[in-house]
Amino acid sequence: MPDHDPIVELHRLQTETMQQLERIAEDIKAGRVPAEEGGQRARALVAASDARRSALFAAGAAAADRRTRRAWLMALAVVVAAAVAVLGRVLLG
């Protein structure tokens, strides 16, 4: 699965949520849905959106942690390689 840009995903989530809330509001205005039911739908939608947003933030943080860990490991590998090279020259040279 390719990495997704969290900013793009959050924007898409926000857009979808706003569109769905607008549809709920239109249904209430048109009398297709009672106000209480529409309010319940809207609260459920916002709760689900918040849960998805939290999951996106957690996934983004985990990806950032992995990138940071890889960068530190690469830096450590470079330092170790340099130390081995210097030690080799000192011992052999």
Side-chain angles (χ1 to χ4, degrees), residues 77-93:
V78 167
V79 168
V80 168
V84 167
V86 168
L87 186 61
R89 283 192 127 201
V90 167
L91 292 176
L92 297 176

Side-chain angles (χ1 to χ4, degrees), residues 4-90:
H4 296 285
D5 183 355
I7 300 299
V8 172
E9 292 292 322
L10 287 170
H11 184 265
R12 185 182 58 76
L13 174 62
Q14 180 182 15
T15 301
E16 288 175 2
T17 301
M18 290 304 297
Q19 289 171 346
Q20 291 173 359
L21 287 172
E22 288 171 0
R23 279 192 294 264
I24 291 170
E26 289 169 3
D27 287 346
I28 292 170
K29 271 187 193 177
R32 292 185 289 265
V33 175
E36 186 174 321
E37 182 182 335
Q40 290 172 351
R41 286 183 186 179
R43 284 188 291 281
L45 176 64
V46 169
S49 175
D50 285 346
R52 286 175 58 198
R53 184 175 47 93
S54 295
L56 284 171
F57 278 126
D65 286 346
R66 284 191 300 274
R67 285 189 299 272
T68 300
R69 193 174 317 121
R70 271 188 297 229
W72 276 106
L73 287 174
M74 286 302 294
L76 180 61
V78 167
V79 168
V80 168
V84 167
V86 168
L87 186 61
R89 283 192 127 201
V90 167

